[in-house]
Structure formats: structure tokens, C-alpha cells
Amino acid sequence: MSGPAFAFPESVLAREVSGEMVLLDLQREEYYGLDRVGADMVIRLTQQPRDQAVAALCQVYEVAPDVLTADLERLVDQLLDAGLLVRTQTQ
């Protein structure tokens, strides 16, 4: 069984606040806020392999896998570009 697809870098503090999430880059002193859906996506990706996270999210949000995958990839790309997430496994 594989581990989580992504992780937070050591310099990033991630906290849930009322179902949403705040990511704080301690080195750059910048933060990024995620709504409930974005927080759910990131939590699952940092706790499960990607395929499991996608399957679970599709069930919870009753959305087609291709639609969810496109939204998920956009969010992941933004967080990777901002240095707020790192890949722990290849896709």
C-alpha cells in the first residue's frame, strides 16, 4: 500500500479553522486560505494515495471523476507553484 500523495514542506504550517484551512509559509511569511472543499482535497491528498483520495472525493461531492480530477490538479498546481505542497509519490 502506498503512502500519501503529497505533504506539506517543513516551512509550511497547515491548520484547519472552522472546516477551512490556512497554510502559512513561515519562510516567506505568506499565507494561503482554502475553503471547505479545497481543505478537504488537501487533507485527503496529504493522508492518502492520490487514487484513494480522488475516489473518496467523488463519492462525497457526487461529481464525475474527470471534473474532480481537473479541479484537483488546478489546486495542486497552485499549491506546488507556491511552495505550499510537495509531491511524495510519482503519479
Side-chain angles (χ1 to χ4, degrees):
M1 182 171 188
S2 346
F6 296 90
F8 299 110
E10 287 185 26
S11 64
V12 173
L13 180 66
R15 292 290 181 262
E16 279 187 83
V17 180
S18 301
E20 297 181 351
M21 182 173 275
V22 176
L23 304 175
L24 174 62
D25 184 328
L26 298 171
Q27 289 179 341
R28 293 188 306 215
E29 297 180 356
E30 295 176 350
Y31 74 92
Y32 195 94
L34 298 172
D35 65 11
R36 290 179 190 274
V37 176
D40 193 15
M41 289 177 166
V42 169
I43 289 167
R44 289 176 191 271
L45 287 172
T46 57
Q47 295 178 351
Q48 305 175 324
R50 185 182 176 281
D51 292 344
Q52 287 179 6
V54 169
L57 288 163
C58 284
Q59 288 181 351
V60 169
Y61 296 105
E62 298 179 5
V63 64
D66 58 329
V67 173
L68 183 119
T69 300
D71 290 345
L72 190 64
E73 290 303 317
R74 268 193 300 278
L75 176 60
V76 166
D77 287 346
Q78 290 173 355
L79 296 176
L80 289 170
D81 288 347
L84 297 170
L85 206 59
V86 293
R87 236 178 257 286
T88 58
Q89 58 180 249
T90 57
Q91 296 186 24

